Amino acid sequence: EPPIFADSFRFSVAENSAAGTYIGIISADDEDREETHSFYIQDINLESSSSLWVFGVDSVNSTDSSAGSAKVFVTEYGKNHLDYENPVNSFNVSIVVMDSGGLSDMCTVTVTVDDVNEPPTPNKTHTFWIRENAQKGTLLGYPILSGDPDIYDTHDYIISSWSADDETYSNTDSTWHLP
């Protein structure tokens, strides 16, 4: 008898996960008690080139049992390509289980990438020029980019220091007034 995946499998993984991060266990049943099982990925999102796969599988219980199992993990390639903000943040992983007699079954494992709040990395220095007789409320510069990969985050900015008349001033009380 062939091995059979009895369940569908759904997992999630945090974006930017390290290579080797464990995602979940899949298992298949086999009525033949003396079978050994091997698991392999056929494709991910229909991509059949394994060098571009973000996930891998390792058999964990594949010898002389009625159920074979494998763990799904993040690959070395995957550690740099699991980004919630990317257009592709859900993966359909086609996995095959094969017994020692060559009989097989296939299932699709769905893995979604979870968003993680990533710190902004803004440009630390911005230079803006303004005329000495500019009216109050004159816009100094726009935009100040946050460098935050989380596109829906909002940010507050405080002017911490500025230079005028060849002197540098510090903003120690969060006021926005020039001396």
Side-chain angles (χ1 to χ4, degrees):
E1 298 294 316
I4 295 176
F5 285 109
D7 295 320
S8 60
F9 301 95
R10 300 182 77 76
F11 302 115
S12 63
V13 62
E15 67 178 328
N16 306 320
S17 290
T21 298
Y22 165 80
I23 297 171
I25 291 275
I26 59 171
S27 60
D29 294 324
D30 195 331
E31 291 182 17
D32 301 323
R33 295 259 179 220
E34 300 301 317
E35 291 288 353
T36 57
H37 303 90
S38 59
F39 292 80
Y40 64 92
I41 295 176
Q42 182 172 325
D43 63 65
I44 298 178
N45 287 357
L46 304 178
E47 174 60 60
S48 59
S49 174
S50 62
S51 66
L52 301 176
W53 289 348
V54 293
F55 306 114
V57 292
D58 276 336
S59 297
V60 290
N61 180 20
S62 61
T63 58
D64 299 331
S65 70
S66 62
S69 300
K71 70 175 184 172
V72 181
F73 63 92
V74 175
T75 64
E76 191 67 29
Y77 178 82
K79 75 177 183 181
N80 297 316
H81 293 89
L82 293 177
D83 188 354
Y84 179 82
E85 287 77 28
N86 278 347
V88 177
N89 58 21
S90 181
F91 298 88
N92 292 317
V93 185
S94 300
I95 299 178
V96 175
V97 59
M98 184 177 295
D99 66 18
S100 57
L103 300 175
S104 64
D105 191 20
M106 186 179 78
C107 74
T108 300
V109 176
T110 302
V111 182
T112 56
V113 179
D114 292 336
D115 193 17
V116 172
N117 189 14
E118 298 157 294
T121 54
N123 180 350
K124 299 210 183 286
T125 304
H126 293 280
T127 301
F128 301 107
W129 301 97
I130 190 166
R131 299 178 149 233
E132 67 178 335
N133 59 352
Q135 294 183 0
K136 184 177 182 176
T138 299
L139 185 64
L140 291 177
Y142 179 79
I144 296 175
L145 301 176
S146 70
D148 192 339
D150 297 316
I151 59 176
Y152 297 108
D153 283 357
T154 59
H155 304 89
D156 294 320
Y157 298 90
I158 295 175
I159 296 174
S160 60
S161 66
W162 62 91
S163 297
D165 300 324
D166 294 327
E167 293 188 43
T168 300
Y169 301 91
S170 294
N171 185 4
T172 57
D173 63 358
S174 298
T175 61
W176 294 70
H177 305 290
L178 288 174

